[in-house]
Amino acid sequence: MMPPTATIEDIKAHQERVEKDKITPDNLPPCSRCRVESAFFKVHAYRERRFLIIIEMLIKAVYSSLVRFKCPGCGKTFTHYPDFAIPHKHYTLPSITGFSASYLESDGMTYKQAVMVDSSVPGYPENNSTDAPTLSPSTLHRWITTLGRFTRTLRTALILVLQQNPISSICRDLARMIIPQRKYKTNLRKKQLTGCQQLLILEAFFQAIFKTSIFTKLAIRCAFG
Ligand SMILES: [Zn+2]
């Protein structure tokens, strides 16, 4: 089995779009400070960003630029994220959603087991000195926290799915979902796990209907909230 990850080609393709000025601000939400529509935003800066992808069970750093736009109304800046990235995460979206799904898919699964692929854990090449030699269970724990907070994205995606297909089984599927008690000690964690799993279930419905991921335009439009 291959570990879930964006590929080096995905990242290179994004870099090429940056270099050819193909990145537009259109999908960004209006300015959160002064409400100017994102279509009026201007390119402000390019920032190099390190992404971590997994190639043959090795974690590799690949660099690409992210475009920062500036609101002409008030000067606030906004980062554009490519399909494979979400704010504040170095690993790519397929890794974040894939390992999170594998933690949630079975009741007895632990974080330690869920970061494994075919009984080994993706790691850094030995000569690469770092204090995090492998993909750690605590990283996966944090990914679920992050995905569990996409409340506005989740709500909007659910509305869109139901508008498109009012008899969809999605509400039943979400209601039937139970987080096993051994996976949380606090209500906050239960809420994060529930939010994360709902987002992943909804993502499957959303992809089937709209042939695109919740994370490509919708999450951006919802400011990853
Ligand atoms: Zn503004």
Side-chain angles (χ1 to χ4, degrees):
M1 205 180 95
M2 297 275 285
T5 180
T7 63
I8 197 154
E9 289 77 20
D10 294 333
I11 296 175
K12 278 186 179 158
H14 174 257
Q15 186 60 29
E16 233 177 271
R17 295 190 64 217
V18 172
E19 279 160 19
K20 290 181 176 165
D21 284 327
K22 293 271 171 65
I23 308 290
T24 65
D26 307 355
N27 291 324
L28 292 169
C31 177
S32 52
R33 196 187 281 159
C34 73
R35 311 312 297 168
V36 163
E37 277 300 330
S38 62
F40 298 105
F41 292 1
K42 299 279 175 272
V43 171
H44 172 61
Y46 300 91
R47 190 173 293 165
E48 194 176 52
R49 178 74 141 64
R50 184 174 66 116
F51 290 104
L52 296 175
I53 61 172
I54 307 165
I55 303 172
E56 288 172 3
M57 296 303 284
L58 289 180
I59 298 164
K60 286 211 153 182
V62 183
Y63 292 82
S64 181
S65 308
L66 294 185
V67 182
R68 254 184 114 62
F69 289 99
K70 191 175 195 169
C71 168
C74 70
K76 192 170 160 66
T77 59
F78 301 90
T79 305
H80 171 277
Y81 290 91
D83 291 1
F84 54 80
I86 54 176
H88 314 302
K89 298 286 169 238
H90 288 287
Y91 283 89
T92 59
L93 197 56
S95 301
I96 294 168
T97 55
F99 285 103
S100 299
S102 101
Y103 174 71
L104 289 163
E105 79 193 358
S106 86
D107 286 5
M109 189 66 96
T110 65
Y111 289 101
K112 226 172 152 175
Q113 291 163 340
V115 293
M116 303 205 347
V117 181
D118 293 338
S119 65
S120 73
V121 183
Y124 289 88
E126 267 171 81
N127 58 356
N128 195 340
S129 69
T130 166
D131 41 20
T134 57
L135 174 57
S136 75
S138 61
T139 299
L140 174 56
H141 190 280
R142 286 196 299 273
W143 289 345
I144 289 176
T145 309
T146 299
L147 294 179
R149 286 187 190 137
F150 277 58
T151 323
R152 199 184 330 152
T153 308
L154 183 76
R155 214 181 307 128
T156 314
L158 183 59
I159 292 168
L160 292 172
V161 165
L162 288 173
Q163 274 171 357
Q164 201 64 28
N165 181 7
I167 57 162
S168 166
S169 67
I170 182 71
C171 291
R172 215 160 49 233
D173 289 10
L174 294 183
R176 208 186 280 146
M177 196 198 82
I178 295 166
I179 304 291
Q181 222 162 358
R182 68 165 75 91
K183 291 198 174 182
Y184 59 88
K185 289 194 187 77
T186 63
N187 268 329
L188 174 64
R189 190 60 184 164
K190 184 184 182 187
K191 214 175 133 201
Q192 291 164 347
L193 288 161
T194 306
C196 178
Q197 183 146 15
Q198 287 183 336
L199 191 68
L200 295 172
I201 293 173
L202 201 49
E203 166 75 347
F205 277 83
F206 196 87
Q207 290 223 17
I209 294 176
F210 300 107
K211 313 291 176 220
T212 184
S213 161
I214 284 179
F215 297 95
T216 51
K217 284 184 185 169
L218 188 64
I220 295 173
R221 196 70 194 163
C222 295
F224 296 101

